[in-house]
Amino acid sequence: MNEQQNLNETDYLKNLTIASEIYLNKKEIPTAVLLNLVPDNDAEFEVYYGTTYPDHKLSETGFFYNTSQLIFEQVTAHKNNDFYLPSLQLISYADGEFAEIFIEYLKIIIEMDKQKFCAAVREEKYRSYNPIKYYFEMNHCK
């Protein structure tokens, strides 16, 4: 299991490196690369959020916030269904300084189609995480 997790973290880091190079060159990040920025676990999220740390080369660029926004806009503005569950997964990490913007996008996603949100979250593991859990219950999803 540890070997598989290390492999996944390495793959994640490779994708993050590709995305950051594209971002720093002010080019459009391909949707496949953007989609793979969504962390699958806490370790990957730590790598992604780690780009905001003062000692990281991306800390002054807004990479984390801007790419998160791009991921959410794939659902909210572009109606790209491939990003629907990944967006909710990313939102499940809402905490601290970025929680407010993540929750704002969650509200937009719910407003777009409450039934779709309820159906999607009903089956997903991140339903137990706030703010997903809170909005699942608040919207009387069953």
Side-chain angles (χ1 to χ4, degrees):
M1 177 76 177
N2 248 356
E3 227 174 273
Q4 183 63 37
Q5 189 172 0
N6 287 340
L7 177 64
N8 289 343
E9 287 175 30
T10 302
D11 289 344
Y12 185 81
L13 192 53
K14 284 179 188 174
N15 187 73
L16 183 108
T17 301
I18 291 167
S20 65
E21 288 172 5
I22 295 168
Y23 178 83
L24 290 172
N25 286 313
K26 300 186 184 330
K27 306 259 191 230
E28 184 176 335
I29 300 172
T31 56
V33 173
L34 196 58
L35 189 59
N36 286 320
L37 275 180
V38 177
D40 286 331
N41 54 52
D42 290 343
E44 288 181 1
F45 182 77
E46 185 62 32
V47 170
Y48 184 41
Y49 184 68
T51 62
T52 66
Y53 297 164
D55 60 340
H56 197 283
K57 71 176 185 174
L58 295 171
S59 66
E60 299 292 321
T61 69
F63 175 81
F64 171 80
Y65 300 100
N66 293 333
T67 55
S68 294
Q69 181 178 351
L70 290 172
I71 290 165
F72 297 138
E73 286 177 353
Q74 284 293 320
V75 174
T76 59
H78 303 292
K79 313 292 190 250
N80 186 339
N81 202 45
D82 292 342
F83 281 81
Y84 193 84
L85 289 176
S87 288
L88 295 178
Q89 183 170 319
L90 183 55
I91 289 167
S92 74
Y93 290 101
D95 191 26
E97 65 194 44
F98 56 89
E100 189 175 323
I101 190 71
F102 278 34
I103 292 168
E104 287 304 313
Y105 276 108
L106 176 59
K107 290 176 183 176
I108 293 168
I109 289 169
I110 294 168
E111 286 174 15
M112 288 171 52
D113 190 337
K114 180 177 157 183
Q115 289 177 333
K116 182 176 182 176
F117 168 76
C118 290
V121 173
R122 186 176 304 118
E123 303 298 322
E124 291 300 319
K125 64 185 182 286
Y126 44 77
R127 182 174 100 200
S128 61
Y129 299 103
N130 274 321
I132 302 290
K133 177 182 179 184
Y134 174 79
Y135 282 92
F136 184 82
E137 293 169 358
M138 188 177 89
N139 284 283
H140 307 291
C141 297
K142 295 178 183 182

